[in-house]
Amino acid sequence: MEAHQEGYSKTRNRRWLAVVGLMGCLAVGAGAFGAHGLEDKVSADRLETWAVGTRYLMWHTLALLVVVFNMDDSNRWQLVLWFWTVGALIFACSLYVLVLLDLSWLGAITPIGGVLLICGWLALSWKGFRGEP
């Protein structure tokens, strides 16, 4: 049974590592596209909006990477991982679509991603207060 659980843990960690890799790819690609593909096509304010989405996406991708490399084979990290993954994608992608399609109402969706990111940080903090590894 222990070997099965270890295999499951490694599979789960590999899946999370794949998610982190895709998110990092998206962040770098979005940053490059914003800097080179949008420069003459959108306003400076919209470029800054794009950059904010990219920064939040990359910072949370790096945070996810740290957790993935340090998590054990329990499910205790899952809440943090899911909050950050979904939150970062909603936050950044809603800003990207807002800029590309000039849909200002999408700014109302972005805070949902932000709240999920905050929940992830609170879940991490809770783990610390409880003394969990």
Side-chain angles (χ1 to χ4, degrees):
M1 181 73 172
E2 189 174 311
H4 173 70
Q5 286 179 338
E6 183 178 322
Y8 174 72
S9 171
K10 288 180 181 178
T11 299
R12 183 177 56 227
N13 290 4
R14 280 197 315 263
R15 286 181 183 149
W16 278 112
L17 192 57
V19 169
V20 169
L22 290 172
M23 287 177 62
C25 180
L26 176 61
V28 172
F33 181 69
H36 303 291
L38 293 177
E39 193 173 34
D40 298 330
K41 296 182 178 40
V42 299
S43 70
D45 285 344
R46 288 293 196 223
L47 278 177
E48 178 55 27
T49 298
W50 187 277
V52 167
T54 301
R55 280 194 302 271
Y56 273 71
L57 181 60
M58 183 54 83
W59 280 112
H60 285 87
T61 299
L62 293 173
L64 281 165
L65 184 63
V66 170
V67 170
V68 168
F69 277 130
N70 288 295
M71 69 185 199
D72 55 19
D73 55 346
S74 71
N75 284 324
R76 292 179 292 195
W77 289 99
Q78 297 301 305
L79 194 58
V80 174
L81 293 169
W82 280 106
F83 276 141
W84 281 348
T85 300
V86 175
L89 290 172
I90 289 173
F91 187 91
C93 292
S94 67
L95 292 177
Y96 297 155
V97 174
L98 180 151
V99 170
L100 291 174
L101 300 179
D102 198 26
L103 298 174
S104 295
W105 63 266
L106 275 172
I109 305 270
T110 307
I112 295 169
V115 168
L116 292 173
L117 294 174
I118 291 167
C119 288
W121 288 106
L122 289 172
L124 180 69
S125 180
W126 180 251
K127 288 179 67 53
F129 284 124
R130 292 190 53 176
E132 295 179 17

